[in-house]
Amino acid sequence: MEANLRWSLVTAIAPIAWGTNYYVTREFLPAGHALYGAAFRALPAGLLLLAVRREPPRGSWWWKSLLLGFLNMSAFFALIYVAAQRLPTSAASTVMATAPLMMMLFAWALIAERPGPRQLAGAGLGVAGVSLMLLTGAVPMDPVGVLASVAAMAMSSFGYVLAKRWSPEVDVLASTAWQLLGGGLLLLPFAVAVEGSPPALDPSELLGFAYVAVVATAVAFAAWFTGLRRLPAATVGLLGLLNPVTGVLLGTAIAGETLTLRQICGLLLTLTGILLGRRGGFLTARDGRNSAGSN
């Protein structure tokens, strides 16, 4: 239990950092440069982690890094950048909170982790809380921003579970660095073709990208993939609900966004879902067979 709590706290660093990323992107980073913005986020973070763990990819990890980099980094970062520019901080972060259910489905299919009743109930409460926060905001929802968030959630959920399936093969910091570098390199030619020359950045934008690359990317993804290696995917997905909680509270405290009574109820439901689901277990396919044999 102590080890589980420790790794849960480590994993929680990621969604809290990601919750702050929406505000920083919306307030400090240049609009209209989603591809360059994603590349500027991924490449420095990957180089930083590679400097910490200097281990090149070997064997099948050359193509696995590119695939995971596309799912978890390049496409994900570009879509999140679009969402953060087109949606309020609270709305952009709460759309992503539907990820626990998606991760549970992928984990069941790919790595035979069947979520327990508490985790399903926790995810259900989280989705209910998300719905209250998302559907009652004071700012109208931009459909392009919502679609970008949904696509980012689905792709990254699949990529996270796939990374967990392959994670025992390599060091977690090295694999995270390769994903970031692979994703960033995949983005560059598309950024040049679609957006032309890279944007000129002023000091505040440079500081914004520095925060996003170091805190919301290098540190956050290292914590996230460490948690995926140590905890069930469903548990990690539920901890991801701290993302919208952070986004809503930050948007209210700093960005001046309105927090309605229904959004407060949504926050409480979301936190209840995290606590309920984190205490639940999960069943593997082997557990199910053993249980069936004992009945």
Side-chain angles (χ1 to χ4, degrees):
M1 289 295 294
E2 291 181 2
N4 186 288
L5 176 61
R6 181 172 67 251
W7 292 119
S8 295
L9 292 174
V10 170
T11 308
I13 294 171
I16 292 173
W18 293 335
T20 67
N21 178 63
Y22 291 107
Y23 173 76
V24 174
T25 299
R26 186 177 175 88
E27 297 296 326
F28 296 101
L29 302 189
H33 294 280
L35 296 176
Y36 274 117
F40 291 167
R41 177 182 180 182
L43 290 173
L47 291 172
L48 177 61
L49 290 178
L50 194 62
V52 175
R53 184 70 67 184
R54 298 180 181 180
E55 182 179 329
R58 297 181 178 87
S60 62
W61 269 96
W62 284 104
W63 67 264
K64 288 178 180 178
S65 297
L66 290 176
L67 176 58
L68 293 176
F70 171 74
L71 293 171
N72 297 333
M73 311 302 174
S74 55
F76 175 71
F77 288 169
L79 290 167
I80 284 297
Y81 197 96
V82 171
Q85 294 287 353
R86 301 182 72 104
L87 292 175
T89 300
S90 56
S93 57
T94 52
V95 172
M96 290 297 296
T98 56
L101 282 174
M102 188 68 68
M103 286 184 67
M104 288 180 191
L105 292 175
F106 283 130
W108 196 346
L110 295 176
I111 55 178
E113 283 185 3
R114 181 159 57 92
R118 284 180 177 270
Q119 289 176 323
L120 289 171
L125 287 176
V127 170
V130 166
S131 298
L132 283 176
M133 289 188 285
L134 176 63
L135 299 178
T136 60
V139 180
M141 296 298 103
D142 184 305
V144 174
V146 173
L147 286 174
S149 292
V150 171
M153 177 273 298
M155 294 181 70
S156 61
S157 296
F158 175 67
Y160 294 154
V161 176
L162 201 58
K164 179 176 176 63
R165 179 175 179 174
W166 292 334
S167 66
E169 302 175 13
V170 294
D171 177 82
V172 65
L173 290 183
S175 66
T176 304
W178 303 337
Q179 291 181 58
L180 287 164
L181 290 173
L185 291 173
L186 285 173
L187 280 165
L188 281 180
F190 292 98
V192 173
V194 175
E195 298 177 357
S197 301
L201 303 177
D202 61 32
S204 65
E205 291 169 339
L206 286 172
L207 287 174
F209 272 119
Y211 175 85
V212 167
V214 176
V215 177
T217 306
V219 174
F221 275 98
W224 185 254
F225 286 118
T226 298
L228 274 170
R229 182 165 297 192
R230 304 282 184 170
L231 299 169
T235 300
V236 174
L238 284 165
L239 288 169
L241 291 171
L242 290 171
N243 182 328
V245 171
T246 303
V248 169
L249 294 178
L250 190 65
T252 302
I254 299 179
E257 297 173 3
T258 303
L259 186 64
T260 67
L261 178 60
R262 293 183 65 179
Q263 285 178 312
I264 294 173
C265 293
L267 276 170
L268 294 176
L269 278 176
T270 303
L271 291 172
T272 302
I274 295 172
L275 294 175
L276 177 64
R278 206 195 71 77
R279 296 181 61 186
F282 72 100
L283 297 174
T284 64
R286 178 180 297 179
D287 292 332
R289 290 193 297 268
N290 290 342
S291 177
S294 63
N295 289 338

